Amino acid sequence: MFADRAKIMIRSGKGGNGHVSFRRELYVANGGPDGGDGGKGGDLIFEVDEGLNTLYDYRHKRKFAAGDGEEGGKRRCHGKDGKDVVLKVPEGTVIKEANTGKVVADMSGENRRQIILKGGKGGLGNQHFATATMQVPKYAQPGQPAMEMEVTLELKVIADVGLIGFPNVGKSTLLSRVTNADPKIANYHFTTLNPNLGVVDLPNGKGFVMADIPGLIEGASEGVGLGHEFLRHIERTKMMIHVVDAAGIEGRDPIEDIYKINAELEAYNPEIAKRPQVIAANKTDLIYSEDEDPVELLKAEFEPKGIKVFPISGVSGKGIQELLYYVSEELQKIGTETVIFEQEFFPEDELIYEELPYTVEKVDDMYVVEGPKIEKMLGYTNLDSEKGFAFFQRFLKDTGILEKLEAAGIEEGDTVKMYGLQFDYYK
């Protein structure tokens, strides 16, 4: 079975603890502190691998963890940083938080590599805690804990155009005729078990990527047949070619078929159902009806609604060029940018909601904010980056720290200290 979905547990590395030790030196109290800092925990990173096209590697191994940072050593020796873990995925993989289903990252477009979970910062050794009044500090900072979460991986193929329709209407035949794809073709339902992709080459560089989505049937949006498993693969498509058996070889009404499939799209995702469609009335070489022409019936039904109908034959190739040029022109109007799913879940936000203590107090002319909640936040946040600084501002507001500072009497221009971080307060 095509591996386009997996659920895994991921964890970053824990920061190494700071070390407590004293050097032996004449005339220095207890030799003086020389405990080194702990190493940083490894990051958990996802990266696009052009050579992959399934998530098969994640079907059997389900837990992935970056290396922990080592503890600091004597003589101010820094602990070794934990090893990063890089998970390779095919382009188009969407990473979601398992419980909420919210998007953590979309490995598509320009996003080729992303740190999903940052390793914990290493703790400071006791060398940092020596003061004029505390010359023999017997305390070192513990390393920050690891971050852990369960995620689902979903591969949503990256194609400009999706072929949709009931099983056995000729989608695979059409794909094999117009692209370099080599799908399995046979005269029975559900020949296609995998989404097949192919490149349609047209003059002047106006080609596009086409995907043969496994046959949808009535009830697909509710999990009937194979449809539910593969409906996600049309989420990125900008346009759909709705393939129908115009000859009605299996006794089905092509007009009724189109309405049924569109109802499944609407039930699955109304936004997808609104995307442009074109109807490929296939198997016209097998039409022997003495009554009304089924192609003319399709045109009369759908063209007034703005959906063009092209009579084609996947076997003989009749009418296919006209269809492809029309689709190419429509795509030029829509634009060529890949549909990217925006990030909805931010792992670092858990630091805001985690119930950890902190204190806000005025010491001399400075407002000091300390506690495990602050330590943990600083251990994961890179304040030098725009994204990290924006998170820091949100952290101060959403945790109620700003309110407590204001309640303590802080005014604009006053200094706030959070361990090694100092900044002036301005609204």
Side-chain angles (χ1 to χ4, degrees):
M1 191 67 180
F2 179 67
D4 64 347
R5 189 179 174 88
K7 181 182 283 189
I8 61 174
M9 186 68 73
I10 57 175
R11 185 183 79 93
S12 62
K14 175 188 178 299
N17 295 329
H19 189 70
V20 176
S21 62
F22 300 90
R23 69 182 186 275
R24 299 302 171 195
E25 188 176 323
L26 199 60
Y27 306 123
V28 178
N30 273 3
D34 72 346
D37 301 343
K40 177 188 172 296
D43 296 331
L44 195 293
I45 303 166
F46 277 84
E47 186 175 89
V48 171
D49 185 335
E50 304 289 352
L52 295 176
N53 55 16
T54 77
L55 295 169
Y56 181 80
D57 292 345
Y58 302 99
R59 278 293 178 90
H60 304 291
K61 185 178 178 183
R62 297 183 179 271
K63 291 186 177 180
F64 300 87
D68 294 336
E70 291 185 357
E71 184 179 342
K74 298 178 179 179
R75 300 180 183 176
R76 306 194 176 198
C77 288
H78 195 289
K80 186 178 180 182
D81 289 345
K83 189 176 181 181
D84 295 340
V85 164
V86 180
L87 302 183
K88 302 290 184 73
V89 293
E91 184 175 6
T93 300
V94 179
I95 304 158
K96 295 182 177 180
E97 200 276 326
N99 293 323
T100 63
K102 291 183 176 179
V103 175
V104 179
D106 184 353
M107 306 307 294
S108 307
E110 296 180 359
N111 188 22
R112 319 306 287 177
R113 180 183 173 96
Q114 183 170 335
I115 298 173
I116 302 299
L117 296 179
K118 293 179 181 177
K121 189 179 286 185
L124 300 176
N126 69 332
Q127 58 169 312
H128 295 278
F129 300 101
T131 65
T133 55
M134 174 61 75
Q135 297 181 10
V136 190
K138 295 180 180 178
Y139 164 80
Q141 195 179 42
Q144 294 297 325
M147 298 179 74
E148 186 175 34
M149 65 188 296
E150 189 175 31
V151 296
T152 57
L153 309 180
E154 290 186 2
L155 178 57
K156 300 177 189 285
V157 298
I158 297 179
D160 301 305
V161 177
L163 296 175
I164 59 171
F166 271 80
N168 211 24
V169 294
K171 298 190 299 296
S172 296
T173 302
L174 175 60
L175 184 78
S176 67
R177 187 166 193 95
V178 302
T179 75
N180 54 356
D182 187 23
K184 182 180 178 183
I185 300 171
N187 189 30
Y188 53 87
H189 286 184
F190 297 126
T191 310
T192 302
L193 297 178
N194 308 343
N196 292 301
L197 271 74
V199 178
V200 177
D201 288 320
L202 293 174
N204 304 321
K206 293 184 179 179
F208 51 89
V209 178
M210 182 187 285
D212 167 18
I213 309 302
L216 302 182
I217 62 174
E218 197 171 6
S221 61
E222 298 170 7
V224 178
L226 296 175
H228 181 68
E229 283 299 308
F230 294 102
L231 271 165
R232 73 177 67 95
H233 293 300
I234 60 174
E235 290 189 26
R236 293 191 199 273
T237 56
K238 305 178 187 73
M239 184 175 182
M240 281 165 280
I241 298 177
H242 203 141
V243 184
V244 291
D245 174 4
I249 293 172
E250 297 190 357
R252 292 200 310 268
D253 179 352
I255 293 176
E256 192 177 318
D257 280 1
I258 291 171
Y259 281 121
K260 283 180 179 178
I261 295 298
N262 283 343
E264 294 306 319
L265 295 179
E266 179 74 29
Y268 179 73
N269 186 331
E271 190 275 325
I272 292 174
K274 293 174 184 172
R275 291 180 192 170
Q277 278 191 28
V278 58
I279 294 170
N282 194 23
K283 304 187 181 182
T284 53
D285 52 321
L286 300 177
I287 295 175
Y288 299 109
S289 173
E290 295 179 359
D291 302 322
E292 289 185 89
D293 183 350
V295 173
E296 292 305 317
L297 291 175
L298 283 166
K299 287 184 176 182
E301 181 71 24
F302 294 103
E303 290 199 341
K305 299 175 181 179
I307 303 174
K308 288 274 288 180
V309 177
F310 286 85
I312 67 165
S313 169
V315 174
S316 69
K318 179 186 174 184
I320 289 178
Q321 282 294 100
E322 291 86 346
L323 170 66
L324 296 181
Y325 278 107
Y326 173 78
V327 169
S328 175
E329 287 172 8
E330 291 301 301
L331 285 174
Q332 300 304 313
K333 297 175 187 175
I334 297 169
T336 57
E337 286 189 13
T338 302
V339 176
I340 304 293
F341 297 94
E342 295 294 326
Q343 185 171 1
E344 302 168 321
F345 185 92
F346 299 84
E348 60 268 24
D349 281 6
E350 298 303 296
L351 301 174
I352 295 175
Y353 307 115
E354 197 170 3
E355 294 294 332
L356 289 174
Y358 67 90
T359 59
V360 176
E361 55 186 358
K362 187 174 183 180
V363 180
D364 298 327
D365 293 327
M366 191 177 293
Y367 289 83
V368 178
V369 186
E370 291 182 339
K373 192 174 187 77
I374 310 304
E375 275 192 281
K376 192 169 183 179
M377 180 274 295
L378 293 175
Y380 290 114
T381 308
N382 177 14
L383 296 175
D384 293 331
S385 71
E386 184 179 340
K387 184 178 175 182
F389 186 70
F391 167 73
F392 175 67
Q393 290 179 308
R394 194 151 48 87
F395 177 86
L396 294 179
K397 181 181 178 182
D398 293 353
T399 55
I401 291 173
L402 288 181
E403 285 183 20
K404 289 195 175 183
L405 285 169
E406 289 168 0
I410 196 168
E411 295 181 358
E412 291 203 4
D414 288 346
T415 301
V416 179
K417 182 181 180 184
M418 294 181 172
Y419 295 102
L421 172 69
Q422 289 189 24
F423 60 93
D424 293 334
Y425 170 80
Y426 289 99
K427 280 192 174 183

